[in-house]
Amino acid sequence: MPSEPATPSRVIEHRLHPLSIGFSLGSQLRRAIFPLIVGGASANFLGVVEMRSVLLIGLIPFVVGSVVRYLTFRYRYEEAELVIRSGLLFRRERHVPYARIQNLDAVQGVFHRMLGVVEVKLQTGGGQEPEATLTVLPLPALEALRQRVREGKREAVKEGIAEDGTAAEEAATAIRAESPTAMPAEPPVDPTLAGTAEGRTLLHLPARELLLHGLLQNRGMVLIAAAFGLAWELGLFERASDWIAGEQSWIGPAVEGAASDVVAAGILVTVVAITALVVAFVIFARMLSVAWTLVRLHDYRVVRSEEGLRATFGMLTQVAATIPLRRVQTVTIHEGPLQRWAGRVAVGVQTAGGSQAGQSGNADPHRHRLAPILRRDRLREFLREVIPELDVPEVGWEPVSPLAFRRVVRGTCFLATLASVPLYFTLGAWGVAFHAAFLAWAVFYARRYVECLGWALKDEMVWFRSGWLWRRTTIARYTRIQVVALRTTPIDRWRGMARLLVDTAGAGAAAHKVDIPYLPLDTARELRTHLAAEAARTAFRW
Amino acid sequence: MNESTHNLETADPGDPTASGDTAADAIADGVRHGLDPRSIPLQRVVGRIVTACVSLPLAVGVAVVWAAAVPPPGVVAAIVSGWSVITGVLGWWLHRWAALHHRYASYTVNAEDIEIRSGVVWRKAICVPRSRVQHTDVSQGPLERRYGLGTLGVYTAGTDYAKVSLDGLEHETALRIRDHLLPPAGADAV
């Protein structure tokens, strides 16, 4: 059990909370339950063994694994690093320097809260996976860990100044900028997860905004698809069909009767009825989306504190995610058509902490949407909090090559033609009309798409925007540029164009990057030389 | 300071700044260099090995089918000529590819960055600023050792280009570029 966190307890090794066994078993089971059920069901079907025994035998390794993990897991605080030991056969000892910790996320589900424990994830610059997941810690231990990390970082900065004044100065100011209200003598301790005791609230989403967010983004369909999959796996459909179409059921005949009445009433009524059903389904999906958003992002709050930005949210599962400000690599502004109509945007940040799309962590989905919904007129203010150097009222966008439209339109017209080939076979002469409509759309879309491509250099940052309906704008500071690459395809060389990619740390595979296509070759070369020189001029810090 | 342990291990810890400068100036000439011409025969040997790895299993497969069911002579001729066409085209193409690859690959070491160009059809020029190099390594496989060549690996904190490698360098040159790319001591403070 963790002792008092204030004293430097170098030799005391802490263990996880004993409930860890249950929680780690639970999270493993959640991942393994479907394969087990499918395997069990098929074994059952084949008549080899009973499903129940398959499930029981399948569970044994997970139970043993969880117990062993709990028994072997130890962590201790060294002066400058956190040391984590684990493993029975393959022992592993990880040293995580406090100064290298990128994010410290805390997740509390319903059960966690009932039992007074919390799951903690530490991320450093390396790799996609969290460096360490502490499942689960008692609440006071989380606070002790947070304080260690805070103090460790301050120590590291101090040492840096002592050794090399000029190089560390920037880092020190970055730390200072992060903590305008911090008292260096006595770091504030917040006993709750929410962390509202300190710092300034940058963003708070009231229920009205969350409602709007739920309406604008289409979460409902995803949920319906997931529910459908689940029902399929569990064989609920067969039971439901028995229930609806069974002999004693009144639902089946009633539906059938209503349907035949509608069809008998004529084509107009049928069309109206089908439209009504579709509309009802869409409304249902959106309502589901709203409900999901209200629960998941309940009381969404971004606070700027000593540690950086801290996002807290959730009704059932409460998440507290911390993002140190100077670890922000790129910022992306997302705008969909509905959001634009409502005057809202979303802002995502990428950190080098390896929290990428596709990773299934509880704290993850909102790491890259720091502000899930934000009024357009508040965007500038919010961005300036995330990137202090940013001071731009409006960016003057540079276009891509004037020949780009010709290239894009060829591609879209080809696709339009390909899509209308089957229509010629099925609709005959009507296929021509569809083909013409598709082509018109292809030309229009290509025009808009190329118009929306743009780049800019401003305030020591490179900006890139792309997409017409779903527009994304990414901002990368020169200090965060890692590699500048110029790429050409044979068509690029024929047309005198090139593609410029600016690589940064922590850019996930699905993330929007500064990857500018269709640049005139000369412009691309100039830009490459300029950006590389600017990057070389400055030092990169994690 | 922990970040630089990689570099410090490979560099001479005694006088990392003083020794670097004179050697660095010589290698950082800002001129675009081609790869070592010995990389062509090396790549050709690799190409022959690849060809053998593809065509031998094919030959074994043909022999097994032959033994199992004796086919008519026309089919035999077709199979054998098919096999020799595949082997011949692959061998010829890889032989040519070595020269093509050599023609379009180059590197430029500047005072503050290194640019590596490669690719024949899809070409790329990757520019890594010296200040963004996390660590470097020079590796030498058994074939490379025979030809006196080495591969330079430059590691950054980036995502798509976390590792940029350059093969077909003279081993000595690779070592000198590596030394040039090592950041000066005390450069990173966090």
Side-chain angles (χ1 to χ4, degrees):
Chain A
M1 284 292 89
S3 65
E4 60 279 30
T7 53
S9 47
R10 292 191 57 183
V11 280
I12 296 177
E13 290 212 305
H14 305 276
R15 307 177 76 157
L16 297 174
H17 196 279
L19 284 167
S20 293
I21 302 173
F23 279 106
S24 94
L25 186 62
S27 72
Q28 281 178 322
L29 281 188
R30 234 184 306 162
R31 251 170 283 156
I33 199 78
F34 279 123
L36 274 179
I37 286 181
V38 171
S42 49
N44 201 13
F45 178 73
L46 293 171
V48 187
V49 267
E50 250 186 280
M51 182 158 164
R52 220 170 291 155
S53 49
V54 171
L55 284 183
L56 281 180
I57 293 167
L59 286 185
I60 291 171
F62 294 108
V63 175
V64 172
S66 298
V67 172
V68 167
R69 209 181 85 85
Y70 167 68
L71 290 178
T72 57
F73 200 99
R74 300 270 196 291
Y75 67 94
R76 64 174 192 268
Y77 301 115
E78 292 281 346
E79 210 156 291
E81 58 192 10
L82 177 71
V83 181
I84 299 170
R85 292 194 303 136
S86 61
L88 180 67
L89 295 176
F90 298 94
R91 299 248 167 97
R92 201 172 147 182
E93 184 170 298
R94 272 168 296 175
H95 293 245
V96 188
Y98 298 129
R100 286 281 174 280
I101 293 174
Q102 302 276 334
N103 322 311
L104 195 153
D105 296 347
V107 183
Q108 256 196 321
V110 182
F111 294 117
H112 291 94
R113 247 178 307 151
M114 270 159 53
L115 299 165
V117 292
V118 61
E119 183 173 325
V120 180
K121 284 182 186 150
L122 295 175
Q123 275 158 343
T124 60
Q128 310 255 323
E129 291 286 306
E131 185 67 36
T133 306
L134 303 166
T135 316
V136 290
L137 288 181
L139 274 179
L142 166 67
E143 209 33 63
L145 184 62
R146 277 216 175 117
Q147 199 175 329
R148 289 281 179 175
V149 171
R150 267 201 296 261
E151 281 168 4
K153 271 182 191 157
R154 220 176 286 127
E155 267 326 294
V157 170
K158 267 184 222 151
E159 270 171 40
I161 293 171
E163 275 177 36
D164 186 348
T166 48
E169 207 165 34
E170 199 184 312
T173 47
I175 293 275
R176 254 178 267 133
E178 276 171 34
S179 51
T181 55
M183 299 283 123
E186 195 180 323
V189 177
D190 54 326
T192 58
L193 254 180
T196 44
E198 49 168 311
R200 213 147 34 91
T201 303
L202 300 185
L203 176 71
H204 177 233
L205 298 181
R208 196 168 43 87
E209 284 291 297
L210 287 178
L211 207 89
L212 187 64
H213 183 52
L215 279 176
L216 296 183
Q217 65 155 197
N218 203 359
R219 274 282 167 191
M221 293 305 283
V222 180
L223 287 178
I224 289 173
F228 195 84
L230 189 74
W232 185 265
E233 291 279 357
L234 295 176
L236 287 183
F237 282 108
E238 284 163 34
R239 260 182 247 173
S241 69
D242 283 350
W243 186 56
I244 290 169
E247 293 195 355
Q248 280 94 39
S249 171
W250 57 272
I251 299 174
V255 171
E256 228 168 273
S260 60
D261 282 351
V262 166
V263 171
I267 186 133
L268 192 68
V269 177
T270 315
V271 168
V272 169
I274 290 174
T275 316
L277 273 179
V278 169
V279 169
F281 179 74
V282 168
I283 290 175
F284 173 70
R286 291 282 157 164
M287 278 171 67
L288 214 59
S289 170
V290 168
W292 187 85
T293 312
L294 283 176
V295 171
R296 178 125 176 81
L297 299 185
H298 172 72
D299 196 27
Y300 193 96
R301 207 178 272 278
V302 178
V303 177
R304 181 158 158 180
S305 70
E306 190 190 356
E307 293 161 285
L309 297 171
R310 191 194 286 185
T312 53
F313 57 89
M315 187 184 282
L316 299 178
T317 298
Q318 289 184 340
V319 179
T322 316
I323 306 162
L325 263 191
R326 62 197 187 89
R327 308 259 141 113
V328 171
Q329 304 293 327
T330 58
V331 174
T332 304
I333 303 156
H334 304 254
E335 277 176 282
L338 285 175
Q339 287 176 313
R340 197 169 312 144
W341 172 73
R344 299 290 192 277
V345 293
V347 178
V349 299
Q350 270 132 23
T351 63
S355 211
Q356 265 102 49
Q359 185 191 325
S360 57
N362 274 329
D364 178 59
H366 292 278
R367 166 62 40 71
H368 43 134
R369 290 286 165 90
L370 181 63
I373 184 164
L374 184 70
R375 297 182 75 94
R376 192 152 235 309
D377 50 14
R378 288 209 45 219
L379 175 65
R380 214 179 119 195
E381 198 187 323
F382 187 80
L383 283 182
R384 204 178 296 168
E385 295 284 354
V386 181
I387 307 181
E389 306 95 299
L390 186 88
D391 190 22
V392 199
E394 206 44 62
V395 191
W397 293 103
E398 304 278 345
V400 293
S401 162
L403 296 173
F405 170 69
R406 248 192 268 171
R407 276 185 66 181
V408 177
V409 83
R410 262 173 219 163
T412 55
C413 282
F414 176 73
L415 283 180
T417 307
L418 209 64
S420 48
V421 164
L423 295 177
Y424 274 99
F425 285 105
T426 50
L427 299 175
W430 276 101
V432 182
F434 275 99
H435 193 176
F438 283 1
L439 282 179
W441 174 255
V443 173
F444 181 69
Y445 177 82
R447 171 80 61 200
R448 285 306 169 120
Y449 174 77
V450 172
E451 272 172 10
C452 288
L453 281 175
W455 59 274
L457 300 181
K458 195 137 195 195
D459 285 346
E460 308 276 295
M461 290 169 223
V462 52
W463 300 55
F464 171 60
R465 97 179 157 185
S466 70
W468 165 39
L469 289 174
W470 283 270
R471 189 178 304 165
R472 293 185 288 181
T473 309
T474 294
I475 309 166
R477 279 170 281 188
Y478 291 162
T479 49
R480 302 297 191 272
I481 295 174
Q482 297 292 333
V483 174
V484 187
L486 208 64
R487 295 183 296 178
T488 59
T489 64
I491 301 177
D492 275 332
R493 288 193 292 277
W494 179 32
R495 297 286 181 195
M497 296 185 201
R499 184 181 194 104
L500 185 88
L501 174 76
V502 176
D503 199 19
T504 56
H512 189 247
K513 306 168 197 179
V514 179
D515 184 8
I516 316 170
Y518 313 126
L519 278 173
L521 191 57
D522 295 336
T523 316
R525 282 208 183 115
E526 273 171 37
L527 208 53
R528 192 265 324 265
T529 313
H530 178 68
L531 290 178
E534 289 288 347
R537 212 164 48 81
T538 54
F540 170 73
R541 278 181 204 91
W542 283 104
Chain B
M1 282 285 95
N2 277 298
E3 203 167 64
S4 59
T5 43
H6 263 301
N7 298 328
L8 290 178
E9 273 162 22
T10 42
D12 178 14
D15 50 352
T17 41
S19 73
D21 271 309
T22 43
D25 289 343
I27 193 79
D29 51 3
V31 177
R32 196 163 147 188
H33 294 278
L35 299 183
D36 192 292
R38 281 173 291 177
S39 73
I40 299 178
L42 169 69
Q43 287 300 321
R44 287 190 173 152
V45 172
V46 173
R48 265 172 240 145
I49 293 171
V50 170
T51 312
C53 285
V54 172
S55 91
L56 284 182
L58 270 181
V60 170
V62 167
V64 166
V65 171
W66 196 329
V70 181
V75 177
V76 172
I79 289 175
V80 169
S81 56
W83 177 81
S84 25
V85 165
I86 289 174
T87 307
V89 167
L90 190 67
W92 171 79
W93 177 248
L94 289 178
H95 188 82
R96 245 183 78 73
W97 187 260
L100 278 174
H101 173 76
H102 179 266
R103 194 201 300 176
Y104 290 107
S106 68
Y107 66 91
T108 314
V109 184
N110 299 310
E112 289 307 324
D113 58 50
I114 177 167
E115 185 180 74
I116 294 168
R117 288 167 190 256
S118 61
V120 175
V121 180
W122 284 274
R123 287 181 212 160
K124 56 192 174 189
I126 303 166
C127 186
V128 186
R130 227 176 123 198
S131 61
R132 296 298 189 272
V133 175
Q134 294 287 323
H135 66 276
T136 52
D137 63 18
V138 172
S139 62
Q140 223 185 1
L143 271 177
E144 284 176 318
R145 212 166 301 144
R146 258 192 69 184
Y147 286 90
L149 299 176
T151 300
L152 173 73
V154 180
Y155 297 81
T156 71
T159 322
D160 295 330
Y161 296 103
K163 182 187 177 184
V164 183
S165 60
L166 176 62
D167 55 20
L169 287 175
E170 194 194 356
H171 190 236
E172 194 54 37
T173 316
L175 290 177
R176 281 170 64 202
I177 297 175
R178 183 199 67 185
D179 290 343
H180 169 65
L181 288 178
L182 293 176
D188 57 12
V190 177

